[in-house]
Amino acid sequence: MQCNAMQRDAMGLSLAEPTAARSGHTRRGYLAALIHRAFPAAHAPFRGAHGERASSLTHQDAPLKSASASTFDEAYYQRFYYDKKTSVVDPAHIERLGSFVCSYLKYLRVPVLRVLDMGCGIGLWKAIVAQHFPAAAYQGVELSPYLCERFGWQQGSVVDYQPLDTHGTPSEPFDLVICQGVLPYLCPADLKLALPNLARLSKGALYVEAVSREDYERETIDEDLTDGRMFRHRAGLYRRGLSEGYREIGGGVWLSHQAEVPMFALEHVGDL
């Protein structure tokens, strides 16, 4: 979890307390795990078999593991989603974010008829997709057995998820894949599998949100209130993996190499 002033207030912390977020601008302090993978600083940091912090990648021999499905149980979601006293969900943020992503794709004329929400949590993107793309079919995939039973999501992991049709054969890629707040919880080995898998899952666009090591180094987020279970992967690692299947077009939005969408050179990240 990366926290902004609103989150600190929700946790009973004074808004006047100094934070590591960018002065006067806290949007960047509100990144991936707020919606899908939120843990307070009071939560004990995840540790490996020998007691090392999972957020530190300096120990090359540490048995680092991705967060397991059992992490995201009923008690977790009750505390951080449904209890008004401890909830860290900000509906206004997700509405602004969803409107931006969907409006950008409509501007580019990316056809969106099938949407995959990879790590969908309680399904906050579902209503936004329905609002902007009413004809689109929404598929939520979640690691948590509790949420799958409660909401009827399909259980799966971004590491190896493969959509199947009614006959059990691989289906066509989706038009839009959403992956918010999931990737930082993967160990390096799993991340290297997940990034190319994301490329296979979409033929249109991808929205991805993930905190990187640079966000810590630049004090873009409040480290004291950021979940210690997240891995501090370099932004370059994410970009190299995603660029195999996508081109970066800004704001966390990536366009599949399969998409036949003409763009001006300055509308996407390219070679200098």
Side-chain angles (χ1 to χ4, degrees):
M1 179 187 73
Q2 304 80 248
C3 295
N4 63 5
M6 181 179 296
Q7 292 171 266
R8 297 177 69 91
D9 188 40
M11 294 176 187
L13 299 173
S14 170
L15 296 181
E17 288 183 35
T19 71
R22 185 175 302 166
S23 177
H25 189 4
T26 58
R27 186 184 71 84
R28 289 285 186 175
Y30 184 109
L31 291 173
L34 172 62
I35 299 300
H36 292 295
R37 296 288 182 260
F39 295 86
H43 222 83
F46 175 75
R47 297 180 182 273
H50 302 292
E52 72 287 343
R53 290 179 61 95
S55 59
S56 173
L57 300 183
T58 56
H59 194 307
Q60 297 299 318
D61 298 325
L64 304 175
K65 297 181 180 180
S66 301
S68 66
S70 61
T71 301
F72 311 109
D73 57 9
E74 181 177 1
Y76 163 81
Y77 282 97
Q78 179 62 35
R79 181 174 183 179
F80 300 116
Y81 286 72
Y82 299 117
D83 190 328
K84 294 182 179 180
K85 296 181 180 179
T86 56
S87 174
V88 296
V89 174
D90 181 359
H93 168 81
I94 192 66
E95 182 178 353
R96 289 194 306 272
L97 175 60
S99 295
F100 159 70
V101 172
C102 295
S103 297
Y104 194 10
L105 296 181
K106 285 190 281 188
Y107 163 72
L108 294 174
R109 298 185 179 181
V110 176
V112 177
L113 293 176
R114 296 176 65 239
V115 177
L116 171 65
D117 193 350
M118 193 74 244
C120 59
I122 62 175
L124 295 173
W125 278 87
K126 186 175 183 179
I128 292 174
V129 169
Q131 176 185 350
H132 290 273
F133 302 112
Y138 172 93
Q139 174 66 63
V141 175
E142 174 58 46
L143 186 64
S144 167
Y146 162 69
L147 290 185
C148 290
E149 181 178 356
R150 176 165 181 169
F151 293 103
W153 308 137
Q154 184 176 4
Q155 188 170 16
S157 168
V158 66
V159 173
D160 55 9
Y161 175 74
Q162 183 179 27
L164 302 176
D165 62 20
T166 55
H167 302 291
T169 57
S171 64
E172 290 291 316
F174 292 84
D175 300 310
L176 169 62
V177 173
I178 300 161
C179 187
Q180 184 184 21
V182 174
L183 298 179
Y185 285 88
L186 298 179
C187 67
D190 284 343
L191 182 64
K192 290 180 180 180
L193 296 174
L195 295 177
N197 193 43
L198 283 173
R200 291 188 289 268
L201 290 173
S202 177
K203 63 179 180 180
L206 165 72
Y207 171 71
V208 64
E209 188 181 87
V211 65
S212 68
R213 178 177 288 272
E214 286 81 355
D215 296 318
Y216 292 88
E217 295 174 345
R218 298 169 184 171
E219 298 185 341
T220 307
I221 61 175
D222 189 332
E223 188 171 350
D224 291 337
L225 297 180
T226 296
D227 180 19
R229 304 181 190 211
M230 291 195 297
F231 290 84
R232 301 184 184 187
H233 305 300
R234 287 287 182 187
L237 179 60
Y238 290 116
R239 285 195 165 99
R240 285 192 299 273
L242 292 174
S243 63
E244 294 297 319
Y246 299 94
R247 54 179 167 171
E248 187 176 2
I249 60 175
V253 182
W254 297 70
L255 194 64
S256 171
H257 293 322
Q258 301 178 55
E260 297 181 357
V261 178
M263 297 189 71
F264 293 111
L266 291 181
E267 288 183 320
H268 63 89
V269 177
D271 298 330
L272 296 178

